Amino acid sequence: MTDRLDHLLAPGRIGTMALRNRIVHAPMSLGLGAGDGTCGERFIAYYAARAKGGAGLINIGTVSVGYPEGSVDAKQIAASDDKYLPNLTALADAVHAHGAKIVLQLNHNGTQAGGDRAAGRPLATPSLPEPKRGDLADYFLPEELTALAAGNPVSGRIRYKVLDAAGIKRVVDMFADAAVRSKRAGIDAVEIHGGHGYLLASFLSPVTNRRTDDYGGSTENRSRFLVEVLRAVRAAVGPDFPVWCKIDATEFELDGGILLEDAKITAQMAQDAGADAISVSAYSDVSKAITHSGSHTPQQPELLVPNARAIKAVITIPVITAGRIETADADRHIAEGTFDFVAFGRKLLADPDLPRKLAEGKSQEVRPCIYCYSCISQAYFRRPVICTVNPGMGFEYARSKAPASRKRVAVIGGGPVGMEAALRLKARGHEPILVEGGDRLGGAFTGAAVTYEPNGRYLDWLRCQIADAAVDVRLGTVGTLDVLSALDPDSVIVATGAGHPVLTIPGIDKPHVRQAETFLNEADASRGGESVAIIGGGMIGLQLAEWLQAQGKIVTVIDVDAKLGTGLPIVRRARLLYELRQKGVTLIGGARDIAIEDSNIIWRNADEQIRRTATDSVIIADGGTPDEALAGQLTEAGFAVSTAGDCAGDFYLEQSIPAVADLVDRI
């Protein structure tokens, strides 16, 4: 990233509202609400931290205009009644205290109103929905399907209510009333949510809107509901209160869905109805697993930028967009007039201080998002959002007290978990000593940084933070009893990783068989030959397969589990498995009696058939087992020992990083 981001950091304006920069905290459903329509301390503290971090505008995602009616769940924030005014005022005050402005994204969830399903209320819709038969369910693990059902309860048979003119007018009034309430609470603006398949979006889409009255048919008719909401809101709040809307510029992978030309017309109509800006997003056929990382929260960088450019060309009001846009690219696009404001979501989960660090010319200090989708994958199970690389996300309200005394803490193992422990110990005033047996920090994660580029940026950031914090690092030092005795620590954190499981696979000792970590550390660019078989279809094996396929290898992944992708969040898992199949990687689950021959790997499938595939090399990526040997030795020797990461059984970063943060807080 460059430190010259003059356009991204320049002041901007939406209607009458002046903003200190062009960075918007993207509206997201965080699941941090109190459960009764109010924000609560946790919710307010989260957004206050992002305001303090320098964002120009804080957008509070999907605020219900009819709560509990039309809400996604009990934790959604409400603006549907005056009883929520004190709480909304407290939220506005917390954001304003740090110089940011705040907008509420007003929404009715329509057919996605999980709160209505749970309570047995009918779901509001433009037309009776037609069933979809996609592949999304195929990518969930069995335990996730159980959690999915538990998090999304249904009371009786799902019922629908096709809105008539009176029903539409009632919802229009809900939006207008919520906007007035927002203004009274001290909120600076409102955004009308017309995207992502919610109620207004379902009227905009020709797939879900098959009406033949004034609200169906042509793009103009399908936009009528949104326009009526905008006009009612504008009339209710007056000419000087900023109001705008979010729309989908396209619906990916959805035959007959919204097209860019439709969105252009809708944007122009919204502008004529009094909108002060247009937020350009996208939606998709959500029954297809690949689309969950291929629309509004994309894996592909800048997926939405071309549509934002096209819509900006036909209106005169500002355009906001989002979707994995890097800061330097956002600066360039703003300079070129592609859009006016950029909404960062995942980036600000990872580092709330990103805007401030950019303004101070410290872009190298920004904690990078690794685009793992741990965050939004929680929404499927109605769990609070998490961030793999930022364990403090969502816990800003519960910062631990300063330690009673300064302690010397030996951290054994220089992988991400060990580095995170050392950084947190240092920040809390302790004296960490980071002991690493290798010649560089990173541990086994160095291989993960090779196979998945965002991991590499995270590893580089950790190494830089360790150096900047002047942590005492002892490279080439094995954490033996003698070494620990010489260091004389008050406590020890063992984060030495995992041992390799003992696999009883015939042929596993052949010379062309290697562990994944060993394979990735080899210097030979032609490693593995032309064809590679990977035993292990979890996160390590699949990311390795992705990388090998990109090198031009013929890749087979084989696992005893019927479902592949353990360790990957559902959204990332679905995309990776889909793309691997599309690129010709052979994926085999439910294999039994695996054996390795000199030039083949063989197995028995579910039909009891013996199968064989030729391979030049075999890589074992079958995870690990906690290695507690060192921790046991040190405990017996009288040291105060804790374990973290793989050796504590937390094999994935989304588990191990929060766990070690909690551990450090207790020291």
Side-chain angles (χ1 to χ4, degrees), residues 131-139 285-292:
K132 295 180 180 179
R133 294 178 177 85
D135 62 350
L136 177 61
D138 297 341
Y139 291 93
D285 181 350
V286 294
S287 72
K288 299 176 181 177
I290 189 66
T291 67
H292 290 244

Side-chain angles (χ1 to χ4, degrees), residues 448 451-452 455 538-547 568 572 576:
T451 59
Y452 184 57
N455 284 341
M539 178 179 68
I540 296 171
L542 293 182
Q543 291 190 162
L544 178 57
E546 180 183 39
W547 181 76
L568 288 164
R572 167 77 176 140
L576 185 51

Side-chain angles (χ1 to χ4, degrees), residues 311-330:
I311 287 180
K312 183 164 176 60
V314 300
I315 58 176
T316 58
I317 54 179
V319 167
I320 309 163
T321 198
R324 196 171 175 176
I325 305 170
E326 299 305 326
T327 54
D329 295 318

Side-chain angles (χ1 to χ4, degrees), residues 333-401:
H333 285 304
I334 293 170
E336 294 172 352
T338 305
F339 51 77
D340 302 280
F341 294 86
V342 63
F344 291 145
R346 290 171 285 180
K347 282 181 172 58
L348 291 176
L349 293 177
D351 195 336
D353 297 316
L354 178 148
R356 175 186 60 77
K357 291 175 181 177
L358 297 181
E360 294 174 355
K362 299 177 180 177
S363 59
Q364 75 283 354
E365 294 186 8
V366 174
R367 183 191 289 109
C369 170
I370 60 173
Y371 303 106
C372 64
Y373 288 95
S374 289
C375 50
I376 65 171
S377 289
Q378 306 309 310
Y380 296 80
F381 314 105
R382 300 300 174 209
R383 299 168 181 158
V385 165
I386 64 172
C387 179
T388 294
V389 300
N390 180 13
M393 181 262 127
F395 295 94
E396 294 82 3
Y397 75 107
R399 297 192 183 280
S400 59
K401 298 178 181 179

Side-chain angles (χ1 to χ4, degrees), residues 85-101:
L85 278 169
N87 195 241
L88 293 174
T89 299
L91 174 63
D93 290 345
V95 169
H96 290 153
H98 299 291
K101 297 296 176 64

Side-chain angles (χ1 to χ4, degrees), residues 79 88 104 106 177-187 189-190 241:
L88 293 174
L104 298 190
L106 302 181
D177 290 345
V180 170
R181 208 165 278 119
S182 302
K183 184 178 180 180
R184 288 170 57 199
I187 301 297
V190 293
F241 188 73

Side-chain angles (χ1 to χ4, degrees), residues 545-596:
E546 180 183 39
W547 181 76
L548 286 169
Q549 189 279 329
Q551 313 303 309
K553 309 287 188 184
I554 301 169
V555 184
T556 299
V557 179
I558 185 168
D559 201 305
V560 296
D561 290 337
K563 293 274 191 176
L564 305 185
T566 299
L568 288 164
I570 175 59
V571 177
R572 167 77 176 140
R573 181 193 311 133
R575 170 161 290 272
L576 185 51
L577 287 170
Y578 178 89
E579 290 185 340
L580 288 174
R581 290 190 179 100
Q582 291 295 306
K583 293 173 182 178
V585 173
T586 301
L587 301 174
I588 301 165
R592 296 186 296 114
D593 301 332
I594 299 171
I596 302 167

Side-chain angles (χ1 to χ4, degrees), residues 108-129:
H108 188 296
N109 286 79
T111 58
Q112 298 185 45
D116 287 347
R117 282 198 304 269
R121 292 186 292 268
L123 304 177
T125 181
S127 309
L128 288 176

